[in-house]
Amino acid sequence: MLSTAFVLGGCVNTPQYSLVKDGDEAQKAGMFDQVSYRIYLEPNFRTPECVAVLPLEVAPEASDAISFDYLPSVDARKAGEVDHSLEFPQSTVAKVGQDGKAKKKAAPRAYRLRFEAADKQRLVRSMLYGFVSAHAPKDIELGLIDRATGGKPVSGARALRAVAKRVGCDWLLTGRITDFNVDFLGVYSSIRIGADLELVRASSGKRVWTGRHVAQGRAGSVPLTPIDLAVGALKAVSNLEPDQLEGVAADLARRLVRTMPLEANNPFLLASNMANAASHVASDIGQGLDRLYRVVAESLNLREGPGINYKVRKVLRGSEEVSFIDHAKRPGWCRVRTRDGQVGYAAVRYLKPVSPAGQGS
């Protein structure tokens, strides 16, 4: 008989990336599967040479300790000699040696693991450090940062400048853990880890990037039969392990770091550039001006959609000028119009804005 349960085990959703632009409302918190980010670009912006990941603050609503109860191995449980209470005395399992005599071997004992606020902070911070270090900027060892901060969160422009001087890095990643909780309902469990972060340039005291996300891992099922009940409970329990915590924390860190302007060819940085350009376009239109872009490659494909899988509508020549229409939902692409009236999508990295009158950059 086939089970008809709605299975939620191992649910992994593709997140939506939301660029917060000038004039938008503040980034919304607590929305699962949405990564909200904003890049604050200054004139002559350059990507960071290094990034120091500072200790994170843990919000009160995310600071409660989490406990995990571990049972012994399957073999030990089958032997029937393991006490499954929370005060597990050392138990033994019979084992026959080479001499044919039964020997006693200690069986694994169940135990309880507590995950305190400090453990949560270390986990999320270490994941952020790991993903940041995979990019171009030099990473600063966490031990060096802890000696400069005392292992405590740092706030205030003056304190941040002092830390930057001590660690030899002007770019500081700081923020708070906004959500770190586990729900267990017998046949369903979920892990939620969220953070609100910002990348600050200490010398100027200005934010370069902000990001907010809540990652979630779910497991279990909606039981419709007794078999479904057992399967759902097993999946729900298996989700409540440190490995699953690490997996959700890694999702959180990877998605947020992906949007940081750590490299010049980051598509999220390019999308932010185009969003800023779009705001200028609206202003120019109000003044009766047209915003032009020049192709800075030998040739550039004008496609039917925002991606290399779309059909090529026209090949633009180097130095050819096109009119910007708007930026695409997919980072790194924008919609433009050629002088002969054709409309299509082009890669942002190969376009450079020119003055409305076409008199240079």
Side-chain angles (χ1 to χ4, degrees), residues 184-222:
F184 179 60
L185 302 176
V187 295
Y188 172 81
S189 64
S190 69
I191 299 172
R192 303 184 314 279
I193 306 178
D196 187 353
L197 307 175
E198 60 181 20
L199 182 61
V200 179
R201 190 163 191 180
S203 58
S204 65
K206 294 183 178 180
R207 293 181 295 182
V208 177
W209 166 95
T210 57
R212 180 174 294 178
H213 179 47
V214 178
Q216 184 175 21
R218 301 184 292 269
S221 64
V222 178

PDB file of all heavy atoms in Angstrom, residues 184-222:
ATOM      1  N   PHE A 184       9.796  21.541  17.113  1.00  0.00           N
ATOM      2  CA  PHE A 184       9.597  20.102  16.974  1.00  0.00           C
ATOM      3  C   PHE A 184       8.159  19.773  17.363  1.00  0.00           C
ATOM      4  O   PHE A 184       7.743  20.015  18.497  1.00  0.00           O
ATOM      5  CB  PHE A 184      10.573  19.327  17.857  1.00  0.00           C
ATOM      6  CG  PHE A 184      10.399  17.841  17.772  1.00  0.00           C
ATOM      7  CD1 PHE A 184      10.546  17.159  16.570  1.00  0.00           C
ATOM      8  CD2 PHE A 184      10.067  17.108  18.910  1.00  0.00           C
ATOM      9  CE1 PHE A 184      10.382  15.788  16.500  1.00  0.00           C
ATOM     10  CE2 PHE A 184       9.899  15.742  18.849  1.00  0.00           C
ATOM     11  CZ  PHE A 184      10.056  15.077  17.635  1.00  0.00           C
ATOM     12  N   LEU A 185       7.388  19.240  16.403  1.00  0.00           N
ATOM     13  CA  LEU A 185       5.973  18.934  16.632  1.00  0.00           C
ATOM     14  C   LEU A 185       5.678  17.445  16.477  1.00  0.00           C
ATOM     15  O   LEU A 185       4.594  17.068  16.061  1.00  0.00           O
ATOM     16  CB  LEU A 185       5.108  19.744  15.658  1.00  0.00           C
ATOM     17  CG  LEU A 185       5.282  21.264  15.727  1.00  0.00           C
ATOM     18  CD1 LEU A 185       4.446  21.936  14.663  1.00  0.00           C
ATOM     19  CD2 LEU A 185       4.909  21.780  17.115  1.00  0.00           C
ATOM     20  N   GLY A 186       6.630  16.615  16.772  1.00  0.00           N
ATOM     21  CA  GLY A 186       6.422  15.165  16.707  1.00  0.00           C
ATOM     22  C   GLY A 186       6.640  14.607  15.312  1.00  0.00           C
ATOM     23  O   GLY A 186       7.490  13.739  15.108  1.00  0.00           O
ATOM     24  N   VAL A 187       5.850  15.051  14.344  1.00  0.00           N
ATOM     25  CA  VAL A 187       5.994  14.548  12.967  1.00  0.00           C
ATOM     26  C   VAL A 187       6.561  15.622  12.044  1.00  0.00           C
ATOM     27  O   VAL A 187       6.638  15.435  10.843  1.00  0.00           O
ATOM     28  CB  VAL A 187       4.637  14.068  12.411  1.00  0.00           C
ATOM     29  CG1 VAL A 187       4.134  12.862  13.191  1.00  0.00           C
ATOM     30  CG2 VAL A 187       3.617  15.194  12.429  1.00  0.00           C
ATOM     31  N   TYR A 188       6.930  16.748  12.619  1.00  0.00           N
ATOM     32  CA  TYR A 188       7.460  17.842  11.807  1.00  0.00           C
ATOM     33  C   TYR A 188       8.457  18.624  12.643  1.00  0.00           C
ATOM     34  O   TYR A 188       8.247  18.861  13.835  1.00  0.00           O
ATOM     35  CB  TYR A 188       6.327  18.767  11.355  1.00  0.00           C
ATOM     36  CG  TYR A 188       6.799  20.031  10.682  1.00  0.00           C
ATOM     37  CD1 TYR A 188       7.169  20.039   9.340  1.00  0.00           C
ATOM     38  CD2 TYR A 188       6.873  21.229  11.391  1.00  0.00           C
ATOM     39  CE1 TYR A 188       7.602  21.207   8.730  1.00  0.00           C
ATOM     40  CE2 TYR A 188       7.305  22.392  10.784  1.00  0.00           C
ATOM     41  CZ  TYR A 188       7.667  22.374   9.455  1.00  0.00           C
ATOM     42  OH  TYR A 188       8.101  23.523   8.854  1.00  0.00           O
ATOM     43  N   SER A 189       9.557  19.020  12.023  1.00  0.00           N
ATOM     44  CA  SER A 189      10.536  19.844  12.719  1.00  0.00           C
ATOM     45  C   SER A 189      11.106  20.871  11.750  1.00  0.00           C
ATOM     46  O   SER A 189      11.129  20.657  10.539  1.00  0.00           O
ATOM     47  CB  SER A 189      11.673  18.985  13.288  1.00  0.00           C
ATOM     48  OG  SER A 189      12.408  18.365  12.244  1.00  0.00           O
ATOM     49  N   SER A 190      11.550  21.979  12.299  1.00  0.00           N
ATOM     50  CA  SER A 190      12.155  23.014  11.464  1.00  0.00           C
ATOM     51  C   SER A 190      13.255  23.708  12.245  1.00  0.00           C
ATOM     52  O   SER A 190      13.203  23.829  13.474  1.00  0.00           O
ATOM     53  CB  SER A 190      11.114  24.043  11.013  1.00  0.00           C
ATOM     54  OG  SER A 190      10.667  24.827  12.110  1.00  0.00           O
ATOM     55  N   ILE A 191      14.263  24.154  11.516  1.00  0.00           N
ATOM     56  CA  ILE A 191      15.370  24.926  12.065  1.00  0.00           C
ATOM     57  C   ILE A 191      15.390  26.260  11.336  1.00  0.00           C
ATOM     58  O   ILE A 191      15.376  26.292  10.104  1.00  0.00           O
ATOM     59  CB  ILE A 191      16.711  24.191  11.880  1.00  0.00           C
ATOM     60  CG1 ILE A 191      16.703  22.851  12.618  1.00  0.00           C
ATOM     61  CG2 ILE A 191      17.871  25.059  12.362  1.00  0.00           C
ATOM     62  CD1 ILE A 191      17.922  21.989  12.312  1.00  0.00           C
ATOM     63  N   ARG A 192      15.423  27.358  12.071  1.00  0.00           N
ATOM     64  CA  ARG A 192      15.462  28.690  11.485  1.00  0.00           C
ATOM     65  C   ARG A 192      16.682  29.438  12.020  1.00  0.00           C
ATOM     66  O   ARG A 192      16.888  29.513  13.232  1.00  0.00           O
ATOM     67  CB  ARG A 192      14.210  29.497  11.822  1.00  0.00           C
ATOM     68  CG  ARG A 192      12.900  28.846  11.405  1.00  0.00           C
ATOM     69  CD  ARG A 192      11.724  29.775  11.707  1.00  0.00           C
ATOM     70  NE  ARG A 192      11.793  30.354  13.036  1.00  0.00           N
ATOM     71  CZ  ARG A 192      11.421  29.734  14.137  1.00  0.00           C
ATOM     72  NH1 ARG A 192      10.987  28.476  14.084  1.00  0.00           N
ATOM     73  NH2 ARG A 192      11.490  30.339  15.314  1.00  0.00           N
ATOM     74  N   ILE A 193      17.474  29.968  11.091  1.00  0.00           N
ATOM     75  CA  ILE A 193      18.624  30.783  11.471  1.00  0.00           C
ATOM     76  C   ILE A 193      18.614  32.034  10.598  1.00  0.00           C
ATOM     77  O   ILE A 193      18.612  31.941   9.372  1.00  0.00           O
ATOM     78  CB  ILE A 193      19.960  30.022  11.289  1.00  0.00           C
ATOM     79  CG1 ILE A 193      19.927  28.682  12.044  1.00  0.00           C
ATOM     80  CG2 ILE A 193      21.124  30.873  11.778  1.00  0.00           C
ATOM     81  CD1 ILE A 193      21.188  27.854  11.886  1.00  0.00           C
ATOM     82  N   GLY A 194      18.593  33.195  11.236  1.00  0.00           N
ATOM     83  CA  GLY A 194      18.543  34.448  10.497  1.00  0.00           C
ATOM     84  C   GLY A 194      19.578  35.433  10.994  1.00  0.00           C
ATOM     85  O   GLY A 194      20.042  35.364  12.135  1.00  0.00           O
ATOM     86  N   ALA A 195      19.958  36.371  10.130  1.00  0.00           N
ATOM     87  CA  ALA A 195      20.943  37.384  10.501  1.00  0.00           C
ATOM     88  C   ALA A 195      20.677  38.676   9.753  1.00  0.00           C
ATOM     89  O   ALA A 195      20.111  38.682   8.658  1.00  0.00           O
ATOM     90  CB  ALA A 195      22.361  36.895  10.212  1.00  0.00           C
ATOM     91  N   ASP A 196      21.081  39.759  10.378  1.00  0.00           N
ATOM     92  CA  ASP A 196      20.999  41.108   9.809  1.00  0.00           C
ATOM     93  C   ASP A 196      22.419  41.668   9.871  1.00  0.00           C
ATOM     94  O   ASP A 196      22.918  41.956  10.966  1.00  0.00           O
ATOM     95  CB  ASP A 196      20.017  41.951  10.635  1.00  0.00           C
ATOM     96  CG  ASP A 196      19.745  43.302  10.006  1.00  0.00           C
ATOM     97  OD1 ASP A 196      20.411  43.634   9.004  1.00  0.00           O
ATOM     98  OD2 ASP A 196      18.879  44.026  10.511  1.00  0.00           O
ATOM     99  N   LEU A 197      23.068  41.809   8.725  1.00  0.00           N
ATOM    100  CA  LEU A 197      24.502  42.120   8.691  1.00  0.00           C
ATOM    101  C   LEU A 197      24.775  43.401   7.911  1.00  0.00           C
ATOM    102  O   LEU A 197      23.954  43.850   7.107  1.00  0.00           O
ATOM    103  CB  LEU A 197      25.281  40.976   8.048  1.00  0.00           C
ATOM    104  CG  LEU A 197      25.071  39.575   8.624  1.00  0.00           C
ATOM    105  CD1 LEU A 197      25.833  38.549   7.797  1.00  0.00           C
ATOM    106  CD2 LEU A 197      25.500  39.524  10.087  1.00  0.00           C
ATOM    107  N   GLU A 198      25.963  43.953   8.131  1.00  0.00           N
ATOM    108  CA  GLU A 198      26.415  45.088   7.335  1.00  0.00           C
ATOM    109  C   GLU A 198      27.930  45.061   7.204  1.00  0.00           C
ATOM    110  O   GLU A 198      28.645  44.635   8.116  1.00  0.00           O
ATOM    111  CB  GLU A 198      25.952  46.415   7.943  1.00  0.00           C
ATOM    112  CG  GLU A 198      26.447  46.695   9.341  1.00  0.00           C
ATOM    113  CD  GLU A 198      25.916  48.027   9.861  1.00  0.00           C
ATOM    114  OE1 GLU A 198      24.909  48.523   9.323  1.00  0.00           O
ATOM    115  OE2 GLU A 198      26.518  48.577  10.794  1.00  0.00           O
ATOM    116  N   LEU A 199      28.385  45.479   6.029  1.00  0.00           N
ATOM    117  CA  LEU A 199      29.812  45.611   5.752  1.00  0.00           C
ATOM    118  C   LEU A 199      30.137  47.095   5.836  1.00  0.00           C
ATOM    119  O   LEU A 199      29.567  47.905   5.100  1.00  0.00           O
ATOM    120  CB  LEU A 199      30.143  45.056   4.364  1.00  0.00           C
ATOM    121  CG  LEU A 199      31.618  45.069   3.942  1.00  0.00           C
ATOM    122  CD1 LEU A 199      32.453  44.214   4.895  1.00  0.00           C
ATOM    123  CD2 LEU A 199      31.766  44.574   2.511  1.00  0.00           C
ATOM    124  N   VAL A 200      31.044  47.442   6.753  1.00  0.00           N
ATOM    125  CA  VAL A 200      31.339  48.842   7.047  1.00  0.00           C
ATOM    126  C   VAL A 200      32.786  49.144   6.696  1.00  0.00           C
ATOM    127  O   VAL A 200      33.680  48.326   6.937  1.00  0.00           O
ATOM    128  CB  VAL A 200      31.101  49.147   8.544  1.00  0.00           C
ATOM    129  CG1 VAL A 200      31.428  50.590   8.868  1.00  0.00           C
ATOM    130  CG2 VAL A 200      29.661  48.821   8.926  1.00  0.00           C
ATOM    131  N   ARG A 201      33.003  50.321   6.125  1.00  0.00           N
ATOM    132  CA  ARG A 201      34.373  50.807   5.938  1.00  0.00           C
ATOM    133  C   ARG A 201      34.693  51.715   7.110  1.00  0.00           C
ATOM    134  O   ARG A 201      34.143  52.818   7.248  1.00  0.00           O
ATOM    135  CB  ARG A 201      34.519  51.557   4.615  1.00  0.00           C
ATOM    136  CG  ARG A 201      35.968  51.858   4.288  1.00  0.00           C
ATOM    137  CD  ARG A 201      36.180  52.204   2.844  1.00  0.00           C
ATOM    138  NE  ARG A 201      37.592  52.235   2.531  1.00  0.00           N
ATOM    139  CZ  ARG A 201      38.081  52.520   1.339  1.00  0.00           C
ATOM    140  NH1 ARG A 201      37.254  52.784   0.327  1.00  0.00           N
ATOM    141  NH2 ARG A 201      39.388  52.532   1.139  1.00  0.00           N
ATOM    142  N   ALA A 202      35.584  51.252   7.980  1.00  0.00           N
ATOM    143  CA  ALA A 202      35.804  51.918   9.262  1.00  0.00           C
ATOM    144  C   ALA A 202      36.336  53.332   9.106  1.00  0.00           C
ATOM    145  O   ALA A 202      35.959  54.231   9.865  1.00  0.00           O
ATOM    146  CB  ALA A 202      36.760  51.081  10.113  1.00  0.00           C
ATOM    147  N   SER A 203      37.222  53.567   8.143  1.00  0.00           N
ATOM    148  CA  SER A 203      37.840  54.886   8.003  1.00  0.00           C
ATOM    149  C   SER A 203      36.821  55.971   7.690  1.00  0.00           C
ATOM    150  O   SER A 203      36.955  57.111   8.138  1.00  0.00           O
ATOM    151  CB  SER A 203      38.911  54.851   6.912  1.00  0.00           C
ATOM    152  OG  SER A 203      38.346  54.434   5.673  1.00  0.00           O
ATOM    153  N   SER A 204      35.779  55.629   6.930  1.00  0.00           N
ATOM    154  CA  SER A 204      34.747  56.606   6.586  1.00  0.00           C
ATOM    155  C   SER A 204      33.516  56.486   7.471  1.00  0.00           C
ATOM    156  O   SER A 204      32.682  57.401   7.523  1.00  0.00           O
ATOM    157  CB  SER A 204      34.327  56.443   5.123  1.00  0.00           C
ATOM    158  OG  SER A 204      33.697  55.183   4.913  1.00  0.00           O
ATOM    159  N   GLY A 205      33.372  55.352   8.168  1.00  0.00           N
ATOM    160  CA  GLY A 205      32.213  55.125   9.005  1.00  0.00           C
ATOM    161  C   GLY A 205      30.951  54.840   8.223  1.00  0.00           C
ATOM    162  O   GLY A 205      29.853  54.843   8.787  1.00  0.00           O
ATOM    163  N   LYS A 206      31.085  54.576   6.916  1.00  0.00           N
ATOM    164  CA  LYS A 206      29.919  54.366   6.066  1.00  0.00           C
ATOM    165  C   LYS A 206      29.710  52.894   5.760  1.00  0.00           C
ATOM    166  O   LYS A 206      30.661  52.131   5.650  1.00  0.00           O
ATOM    167  CB  LYS A 206      30.088  55.141   4.755  1.00  0.00           C
ATOM    168  CG  LYS A 206      30.085  56.654   4.951  1.00  0.00           C
ATOM    169  CD  LYS A 206      30.185  57.364   3.609  1.00  0.00           C
ATOM    170  CE  LYS A 206      30.129  58.881   3.794  1.00  0.00           C
ATOM    171  NZ  LYS A 206      30.234  59.590   2.493  1.00  0.00           N
ATOM    172  N   ARG A 207      28.448  52.535   5.623  1.00  0.00           N
ATOM    173  CA  ARG A 207      28.101  51.172   5.222  1.00  0.00           C
ATOM    174  C   ARG A 207      28.342  50.999   3.727  1.00  0.00           C
ATOM    175  O   ARG A 207      28.013  51.868   2.932  1.00  0.00           O
ATOM    176  CB  ARG A 207      26.642  50.866   5.562  1.00  0.00           C
ATOM    177  CG  ARG A 207      26.355  50.816   7.047  1.00  0.00           C
ATOM    178  CD  ARG A 207      24.905  50.477   7.311  1.00  0.00           C
ATOM    179  NE  ARG A 207      24.014  51.531   6.827  1.00  0.00           N
ATOM    180  CZ  ARG A 207      22.696  51.498   6.966  1.00  0.00           C
ATOM    181  NH1 ARG A 207      22.129  50.456   7.552  1.00  0.00           N
ATOM    182  NH2 ARG A 207      21.961  52.492   6.520  1.00  0.00           N
ATOM    183  N   VAL A 208      28.873  49.858   3.378  1.00  0.00           N
ATOM    184  CA  VAL A 208      29.102  49.527   1.975  1.00  0.00           C
ATOM    185  C   VAL A 208      28.025  48.564   1.490  1.00  0.00           C
ATOM    186  O   VAL A 208      27.608  48.608   0.328  1.00  0.00           O
ATOM    187  CB  VAL A 208      30.501  48.896   1.791  1.00  0.00           C
ATOM    188  CG1 VAL A 208      30.726  48.485   0.346  1.00  0.00           C
ATOM    189  CG2 VAL A 208      31.581  49.860   2.249  1.00  0.00           C
ATOM    190  N   TRP A 209      27.568  47.711   2.405  1.00  0.00           N
ATOM    191  CA  TRP A 209      26.586  46.674   2.050  1.00  0.00           C
ATOM    192  C   TRP A 209      25.784  46.333   3.299  1.00  0.00           C
ATOM    193  O   TRP A 209      26.311  46.336   4.415  1.00  0.00           O
ATOM    194  CB  TRP A 209      27.315  45.441   1.527  1.00  0.00           C
ATOM    195  CG  TRP A 209      26.482  44.197   1.439  1.00  0.00           C
ATOM    196  CD1 TRP A 209      25.809  43.730   0.351  1.00  0.00           C
ATOM    197  CD2 TRP A 209      26.266  43.224   2.483  1.00  0.00           C
ATOM    198  NE1 TRP A 209      25.177  42.546   0.639  1.00  0.00           N
ATOM    199  CE2 TRP A 209      25.436  42.212   1.938  1.00  0.00           C
ATOM    200  CE3 TRP A 209      26.670  43.122   3.813  1.00  0.00           C
ATOM    201  CZ2 TRP A 209      25.014  41.115   2.687  1.00  0.00           C
ATOM    202  CZ3 TRP A 209      26.255  42.029   4.563  1.00  0.00           C
ATOM    203  CH2 TRP A 209      25.440  41.040   3.993  1.00  0.00           C
ATOM    204  N   THR A 210      24.501  46.021   3.111  1.00  0.00           N
ATOM    205  CA  THR A 210      23.681  45.449   4.176  1.00  0.00           C
ATOM    206  C   THR A 210      22.928  44.252   3.616  1.00  0.00           C
ATOM    207  O   THR A 210      22.567  44.220   2.420  1.00  0.00           O
ATOM    208  CB  THR A 210      22.665  46.468   4.739  1.00  0.00           C
ATOM    209  OG1 THR A 210      21.830  46.951   3.667  1.00  0.00           O
ATOM    210  CG2 THR A 210      23.369  47.636   5.408  1.00  0.00           C
ATOM    211  N   GLY A 211      22.696  43.262   4.445  1.00  0.00           N
ATOM    212  CA  GLY A 211      21.986  42.069   4.007  1.00  0.00           C
ATOM    213  C   GLY A 211      21.179  41.463   5.133  1.00  0.00           C
ATOM    214  O   GLY A 211      21.564  41.556   6.315  1.00  0.00           O
ATOM    215  N   ARG A 212      20.067  40.852   4.774  1.00  0.00           N
ATOM    216  CA  ARG A 212      19.179  40.252   5.777  1.00  0.00           C
ATOM    217  C   ARG A 212      18.557  38.992   5.192  1.00  0.00           C
ATOM    218  O   ARG A 212      18.098  38.982   4.043  1.00  0.00           O
ATOM    219  CB  ARG A 212      18.091  41.259   6.157  1.00  0.00           C
ATOM    220  CG  ARG A 212      17.102  40.755   7.197  1.00  0.00           C
ATOM    221  CD  ARG A 212      16.176  41.874   7.612  1.00  0.00           C
ATOM    222  NE  ARG A 212      16.908  42.925   8.327  1.00  0.00           N
ATOM    223  CZ  ARG A 212      16.348  44.046   8.763  1.00  0.00           C
ATOM    224  NH1 ARG A 212      15.074  44.287   8.540  1.00  0.00           N
ATOM    225  NH2 ARG A 212      17.061  44.940   9.416  1.00  0.00           N
ATOM    226  N   HIS A 213      18.553  37.924   5.980  1.00  0.00           N
ATOM    227  CA  HIS A 213      17.995  36.662   5.496  1.00  0.00           C
ATOM    228  C   HIS A 213      17.678  35.756   6.670  1.00  0.00           C
ATOM    229  O   HIS A 213      18.320  35.838   7.725  1.00  0.00           O
ATOM    230  CB  HIS A 213      18.997  35.963   4.560  1.00  0.00           C
ATOM    231  CG  HIS A 213      18.526  34.654   4.021  1.00  0.00           C
ATOM    232  ND1 HIS A 213      17.266  34.472   3.484  1.00  0.00           N
ATOM    233  CD2 HIS A 213      19.146  33.443   3.938  1.00  0.00           C
ATOM    234  CE1 HIS A 213      17.138  33.220   3.081  1.00  0.00           C
ATOM    235  NE2 HIS A 213      18.256  32.577   3.356  1.00  0.00           N
ATOM    236  N   VAL A 214      16.675  34.905   6.511  1.00  0.00           N
ATOM    237  CA  VAL A 214      16.363  33.837   7.461  1.00  0.00           C
ATOM    238  C   VAL A 214      16.351  32.528   6.668  1.00  0.00           C
ATOM    239  O   VAL A 214      15.502  32.338   5.798  1.00  0.00           O
ATOM    240  CB  VAL A 214      15.001  34.046   8.152  1.00  0.00           C
ATOM    241  CG1 VAL A 214      14.704  32.872   9.092  1.00  0.00           C
ATOM    242  CG2 VAL A 214      14.977  35.352   8.918  1.00  0.00           C
ATOM    243  N   ALA A 215      17.321  31.655   6.939  1.00  0.00           N
ATOM    244  CA  ALA A 215      17.379  30.349   6.286  1.00  0.00           C
ATOM    245  C   ALA A 215      16.607  29.347   7.123  1.00  0.00           C
ATOM    246  O   ALA A 215      16.516  29.467   8.345  1.00  0.00           O
ATOM    247  CB  ALA A 215      18.828  29.902   6.105  1.00  0.00           C
ATOM    248  N   GLN A 216      16.064  28.321   6.466  1.00  0.00           N
ATOM    249  CA  GLN A 216      15.233  27.360   7.181  1.00  0.00           C
ATOM    250  C   GLN A 216      15.462  25.954   6.640  1.00  0.00           C
ATOM    251  O   GLN A 216      15.611  25.744   5.436  1.00  0.00           O
ATOM    252  CB  GLN A 216      13.751  27.730   7.047  1.00  0.00           C
ATOM    253  CG  GLN A 216      12.813  26.838   7.845  1.00  0.00           C
ATOM    254  CD  GLN A 216      11.371  27.320   7.787  1.00  0.00           C
ATOM    255  OE1 GLN A 216      10.986  28.053   6.889  1.00  0.00           O
ATOM    256  NE2 GLN A 216      10.566  26.900   8.738  1.00  0.00           N
ATOM    257  N   GLY A 217      15.493  24.987   7.543  1.00  0.00           N
ATOM    258  CA  GLY A 217      15.536  23.576   7.187  1.00  0.00           C
ATOM    259  C   GLY A 217      14.343  22.881   7.801  1.00  0.00           C
ATOM    260  O   GLY A 217      14.061  23.053   8.990  1.00  0.00           O
ATOM    261  N   ARG A 218      13.616  22.116   6.996  1.00  0.00           N
ATOM    262  CA  ARG A 218      12.396  21.466   7.478  1.00  0.00           C
ATOM    263  C   ARG A 218      12.456  19.974   7.186  1.00  0.00           C
ATOM    264  O   ARG A 218      13.046  19.540   6.195  1.00  0.00           O
ATOM    265  CB  ARG A 218      11.163  22.068   6.801  1.00  0.00           C
ATOM    266  CG  ARG A 218      11.000  23.543   7.032  1.00  0.00           C
ATOM    267  CD  ARG A 218       9.718  24.058   6.416  1.00  0.00           C
ATOM    268  NE  ARG A 218       9.766  24.012   4.968  1.00  0.00           N
ATOM    269  CZ  ARG A 218      10.195  25.011   4.199  1.00  0.00           C
ATOM    270  NH1 ARG A 218      10.639  26.120   4.763  1.00  0.00           N
ATOM    271  NH2 ARG A 218      10.186  24.913   2.883  1.00  0.00           N
ATOM    272  N   ALA A 219      11.786  19.204   8.019  1.00  0.00           N
ATOM    273  CA  ALA A 219      11.707  17.758   7.808  1.00  0.00           C
ATOM    274  C   ALA A 219      10.458  17.228   8.482  1.00  0.00           C
ATOM    275  O   ALA A 219       9.985  17.762   9.485  1.00  0.00           O
ATOM    276  CB  ALA A 219      12.948  17.047   8.351  1.00  0.00           C
ATOM    277  N   GLY A 220       9.908  16.118   7.928  1.00  0.00           N
ATOM    278  CA  GLY A 220       8.708  15.513   8.486  1.00  0.00           C
ATOM    279  C   GLY A 220       7.657  15.329   7.417  1.00  0.00           C
ATOM    280  O   GLY A 220       7.931  15.403   6.224  1.00  0.00           O
ATOM    281  N   SER A 221       6.440  15.063   7.838  1.00  0.00           N
ATOM    282  CA  SER A 221       5.348  14.863   6.888  1.00  0.00           C
ATOM    283  C   SER A 221       4.007  15.090   7.578  1.00  0.00           C
ATOM    284  O   SER A 221       3.911  15.100   8.801  1.00  0.00           O
ATOM    285  CB  SER A 221       5.394  13.446   6.313  1.00  0.00           C
ATOM    286  OG  SER A 221       5.174  12.493   7.338  1.00  0.00           O
ATOM    287  N   VAL A 222       3.005  15.277   6.756  1.00  0.00           N
ATOM    288  CA  VAL A 222       1.629  15.352   7.261  1.00  0.00           C
ATOM    289  C   VAL A 222       1.057  13.931   7.217  1.00  0.00           C
ATOM    290  O   VAL A 222       0.832  13.391   6.128  1.00  0.00           O
ATOM    291  CB  VAL A 222       0.777  16.297   6.409  1.00  0.00           C
ATOM    292  CG1 VAL A 222      -0.649  16.325   6.918  1.00  0.00           C
ATOM    293  CG2 VAL A 222       1.375  17.705   6.415  1.00  0.00           C
TER     294      VAL A 222
END
